[in-house]
Amino acid sequence: MDCWVCERTALGACRFCGRGTCRDHAKTHPFLLDVFRGNKHSSLRALVVEDALHCGVCTPRGEPVDLPELE
Ligand SMILES: [Zn+2]
Ligand SMILES: [Zn+2]
């Protein structure tokens, strides 16, 4: 797999879209790992990785979207 931007060998894949990215073009972006319902709170809570690998090309949402159909 090669970097989406410069076509050199990629070091990793974007967590969001799967594009390859090299060290120069890799960025980080919080990634939503899991959603669960807390014990003390009845609302849904999210487990987030703060620095997941991001290709810098795609545009992940900054805020998790509502999933009312899973409630
Ligand atoms: Zn690159
Ligand atoms: Zn991406």
Side-chain angles (χ1 to χ4, degrees):
M1 184 168 58
D2 296 333
C3 173
W4 177 266
V5 180
C6 64
E7 299 182 4
R8 284 184 292 175
T9 302
L11 290 177
C14 174
R15 197 78 163 88
F16 303 92
C17 68
R19 288 180 176 101
T21 183
C22 70
R23 194 187 303 274
D24 287 346
H25 292 107
K27 295 184 171 45
T28 60
H29 195 281
F31 177 77
L32 185 66
L33 258 191
D34 200 4
V35 178
F36 58 94
R37 198 178 292 279
N39 292 328
K40 293 178 181 175
H41 307 280
S42 58
S43 60
L44 287 174
R45 297 171 66 76
L47 189 63
V48 175
V49 177
E50 286 293 335
D51 58 349
L53 188 60
H54 176 224
C55 64
V57 179
C58 66
T59 54
R61 299 275 188 112
E63 297 287 327
V65 296
D66 289 332
L67 296 172
E69 63 272 22
L70 296 182
E71 283 278 5

